DNA sequence: CCCAAGCAGTAAATCGTTTTCATTGTGGTT
DNA sequence: AACCACAATGAAAACGATTTACTGCTTGGG
């Protein structure tokens, strides 16, 4: 089952067999045909390991995410998978844990096994980056701050969509009555979204008060809690909400239903992510679409571009978010 | 950066270095220590390809699914990933397309690259199975009919959960007024679930009429369509529904809300999959839980068991489904 | 003081490819 | 007829590990 068997069966040298497979032009047509035949007959498959060892290319790309759970990552992974196939690569998946503890031998780089790695870093203090740089492994960073980075990257353009969303809210709501209900304050995306919220209000000459921005977690519960409290404390008016993600939005929606606040009648609500949930819920949830699959695709494209041409200048890609208007945010003003 | 560099830096032979890494007991403590030091200093990593070529083990497991999209597959993949890590393996992911067209060189087996493969077959006519058998690659089949198969397998035990669900419905609904609203008739799971539905009714001495079972697709739309039609045609009573999955159930739920049929007042509804949706929706949806992650985990466990002991007898595992009762199915009878 | 045993360590074969370099033979030019 | 370019192939050296013999050196026992 090795190339040598094929060679002797076709009474040629291994070199010739190899050429028939990888570079058919270099061998006489007659020989090529004969060898081909033997290959089929014996059902021979080149051993990828040996091939990889020799060529220093394995045709495997790695992707490392904090988790592969939840719609966002799942979508991202799907994009990566389809793109990998399209580009003729295999995909090695890993959740970050293995990187973080990065315990030397177990590293996600799976040394020698992969031609390149797309990775979403959560702990900037890891040893992965320096290591990759040293070993020259092609790397692309997902959703990480590209400032001053020495690697290719693709990030989510939260600004555009968030801004769009706020502008849309402002069509029917006063700037002072808009709120942003985000996830964890220290989260990369949360910060960007909050910032976009602020600056969209600033465009209208309104300086957002601290009360207009709240931070919690990316869960239904947090949305529910926030909304319930607001409803209880009637003093603080709020007629337009941009939620940090759809889960939060959904929590708010439920609290409003329980509390007799009609959506979109009394409260305009916009989510973030445009998850499956958004179009299933009633009223259908307007939401800022984050094209997760595209991120995965773009990352892999960047990655193979770098592999094919290591001296390219760095690329930093931004996939744009976009408001999808449904029912929860439209209708007459407050 | 190769083992030879380490060897010469520590002034020993490559064999010794290799031993220090893989079998420290075979080398004198003093030498081992010295070599270790050099390894750390030089930050040496064994090349996995070379290692794999030599040992015929790569530490990579493959998993091939029809798609990696949707909550079920995403969960399954997550289970597989975590288990792979726990077992000390890497995970190579592929959607089936690459298998199907199985065009020789591109095969999902990635010859030599993986130590074993977990695969969900959709086309039984593929060349994958015979090929794996011939090449002796360890394989485990996911959710495929284990009858007469020559491989390990893990399947979903639809029966138990479906039966439980029907019994639960029968607590408040007459057997003749129960319906099953399934996905595609030819689907493996659909058939099993329908069968379980039938036999659970049979337990109560009721032979299900054709009208009690409907087949469509696993979509919200199909559920909505089915329910709308039933509501329009008042003649056909139906007070208890087991849906083929949560999507269908959700479609039914919406149609009922539109049509003024109260759930669970006038209609008891149970979904299948226990997806995230089920606990978000109001009324909360009772649903048969299918432990997708466990499938992935079990598959990988079976796989490495086989790798470690190729002559084991075949294992066929069934992960059991289980009814989760929430709001949509409880309350007084019709 | 000698021998067997045991331990440390080495040289070299091996895994299955690719690829360089050398070697043929063939036909075309002068 | 001599020469050259060129196409087709083969032999052998990488690639970077593991592993199997095998060689010296200690030791411990008698």
């Amino acid at each position: 089952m090795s190339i040598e068997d094929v060679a002797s069966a076709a009474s040629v040298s291994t070199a010739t067999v190899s050429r028939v497979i990888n570079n058919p032009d270099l061998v006489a047509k007659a020989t090529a045909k004969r060898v081909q035949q033997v290959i089929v007959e014996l059902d021979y498959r080149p051993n990828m390991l040996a091939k990889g060892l020799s060529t220093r290319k394995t045709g495997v790309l790695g992707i490392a995410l904090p988790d592969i759970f939840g719609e966002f990552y799942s979508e991202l992974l799907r994009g990566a998978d389809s793109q990998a196939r399209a580009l003729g690569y295999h995909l090695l998946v890993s959740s970050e844990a293995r990187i973080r503890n990065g315990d030397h031998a177990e590293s996600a780089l799976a040394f020698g096994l992969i031609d390149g790695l797309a990775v979403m870093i959560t702990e900037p203090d890891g040893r992965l980056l320096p290591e990759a740089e040293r070993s020259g492994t092609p790397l692309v960073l997902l959703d990480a701050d590209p400032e001053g980075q020495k690697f290719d990257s693709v990030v989510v353009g939260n600004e555009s969509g968030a801004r769009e969303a706020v502008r849309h809210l402002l069509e029917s709501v006063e700037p002072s009555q808009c709120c942003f209900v985000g996830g964890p304050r220290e989260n990369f995306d949360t910060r960007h979204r909050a910032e976009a919220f602020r600056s969209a209000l600033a465009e209208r000459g309104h300086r957002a008060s601290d009360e207009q921005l709240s931070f919690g977690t990316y869960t239904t519960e947090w949305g529910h809690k926030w909304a319930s409290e607001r409803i209880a404390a009637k003093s603080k008016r709020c007629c337009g909400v941009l939620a940090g993600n759809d889960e939060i939005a959904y929590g708010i929606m439920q609290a409003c239903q329980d509390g007799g606040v009609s959506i979109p009648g009394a409260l305009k609500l916009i989510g973030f992510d445009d998850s499956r949930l958004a179009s299933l819920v009633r009223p259908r949830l307007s939401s800022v679409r984050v094209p997760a699959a595209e991120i995965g695709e773009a990352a892999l494209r960047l990655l193979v571009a770098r592999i094919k041409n290591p001296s390219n200048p760095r690329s930093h890609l931004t996939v744009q978010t976009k408001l999808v208007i449904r029912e929860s945010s439209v209708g007459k003003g407050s």
Side-chain angles (χ1 to χ4, degrees), chain A residues 38-80:
Chain A
V38 176
I39 289 181
V40 172
E41 250 164 51
L42 267 53
D43 196 24
Y44 161 74
R45 305 290 160 79
N47 179 312
M48 302 299 274
L49 285 185
K51 180 170 189 161
L53 183 56
S54 193
T55 58
R56 342 210 91 250
K57 300 239 154 287
T58 61
V60 178
L61 262 26
I63 184 166
L65 302 174
D67 196 345
I68 61 171
F69 170 63
E71 206 176 317
F72 179 78
Y73 291 124
S74 152
E75 268 292 293
L76 198 160
L77 204 52
R78 168 157 158 265

Side-chain angles (χ1 to χ4, degrees), chain A residues 157 160-162 164 274 287-291 320-325:
Chain A
S160 56
E164 236 186 307
D274 192 27
S287 189
V288 177
R289 174 160 168 61
V290 179
Q320 289 305 338
T321 56
K322 193 167 169 330
L323 177 63
V324 178
I325 300 178

Side-chain angles (χ1 to χ4, degrees), chain A residues 25-214:
Chain A
D25 306 336
L26 296 185
V27 21
K29 281 219 175 119
T31 337
K33 199 165 200 168
R34 183 159 42 95
V35 173
Q36 254 316 336
Q37 209 141 74
V38 176
I39 289 181
V40 172
E41 250 164 51
L42 267 53
D43 196 24
Y44 161 74
R45 305 290 160 79
N47 179 312
M48 302 299 274
L49 285 185
K51 180 170 189 161
L53 183 56
S54 193
T55 58
R56 342 210 91 250
K57 300 239 154 287
T58 61
V60 178
L61 262 26
I63 184 166
L65 302 174
D67 196 345
I68 61 171
F69 170 63
E71 206 176 317
F72 179 78
Y73 291 124
S74 152
E75 268 292 293
L76 198 160
L77 204 52
R78 168 157 158 265
D81 173 75
S82 77
Q83 194 64 214
R85 183 164 47 261
L87 295 167
Y89 282 87
H90 289 280
L91 197 61
L92 193 68
V93 173
S94 168
S95 357
E96 185 121 339
R98 192 184 262 138
I99 300 175
R100 207 170 41 221
N101 91 22
D103 210 349
H104 222 84
E106 280 296 356
S107 163
L109 285 175
F111 279 86
L113 257 190
I114 62 177
D115 291 345
L117 180 66
V119 59
M120 189 173 293
I121 300 276
T122 53
E123 303 194 357
D125 54 325
R127 60 203 291 167
L128 179 67
L129 260 37
E131 201 161 84
E133 202 184 346
R134 207 182 52 87
S135 74
T137 310
L139 207 69
V140 2
L141 260 26
L142 294 174
D143 211 358
D145 205 337
E147 317 291 357
Q149 290 294 179
K150 313 196 192 67
F151 299 99
D152 296 313
S153 66
V154 14
V155 303
V156 176
N158 287 302
E159 283 77 4
S160 56
R163 224 189 208 88
E164 236 186 307
V166 176
R167 285 198 193 120
H168 174 60
L169 286 177
L170 291 176
E171 286 169 17
S172 54
V173 179
E174 289 301 307
S176 63
Q177 296 185 359
C178 284
C179 291
F180 173 77
V181 184
R185 202 181 233 107
E186 61 281 10
N187 180 285
F188 187 73
D189 286 317
T190 308
R191 287 210 309 265
H192 280 70
R193 288 167 195 180
E195 208 33 65
F197 176 84
R198 274 213 177 80
S199 81
L201 289 188
E203 270 178 9
R204 289 275 291 261
H206 178 86
R207 197 181 173 292
S209 71
D210 281 358
E211 261 192 358
Q212 288 182 269
L213 291 97
S214 315

Side-chain angles (χ1 to χ4, degrees), chain A residues 174-311:
Chain A
E174 289 301 307
S176 63
Q177 296 185 359
C178 284
C179 291
F180 173 77
V181 184
R185 202 181 233 107
E186 61 281 10
N187 180 285
F188 187 73
D189 286 317
T190 308
R191 287 210 309 265
H192 280 70
R193 288 167 195 180
E195 208 33 65
F197 176 84
R198 274 213 177 80
S199 81
L201 289 188
E203 270 178 9
R204 289 275 291 261
H206 178 86
R207 197 181 173 292
S209 71
D210 281 358
E211 261 192 358
Q212 288 182 269
L213 291 97
S214 315
F215 300 92
T217 61
Y218 279 123
T219 60
T220 317
E221 288 71 32
W222 157 235
H224 193 279
K225 176 162 168 264
W226 181 86
S228 307
E229 285 172 4
R230 279 293 169 128
I231 292 170
K234 297 214 139 198
S235 62
K236 308 174 185 173
R237 292 213 56 178
C238 173
C239 313
V241 169
L242 174 61
N245 76 354
D246 285 351
E247 300 269 329
I248 296 176
Y250 190 65
I252 293 175
M253 212 177 226
Q254 293 191 337
C256 287
Q257 271 159 16
D258 297 348
V261 175
S262 108
I263 297 179
L267 179 81
K268 316 289 182 222
L269 180 62
I270 301 185
F272 223 108
D273 277 358
D274 192 27
S275 60
R276 180 127 185 63
L277 194 58
S279 55
L280 285 179
V281 138
R282 295 298 135 87
R284 277 179 258 264
L285 182 66
S286 297
S287 189
V288 177
R289 174 160 168 61
V290 179
E294 273 177 40
I295 299 176
E297 291 170 17
L300 286 225
R301 263 197 308 269
L302 249 49
L303 195 49
V304 332
R306 169 127 331 253
I307 290 171
K308 299 230 157 115
N309 197 337
S311 58

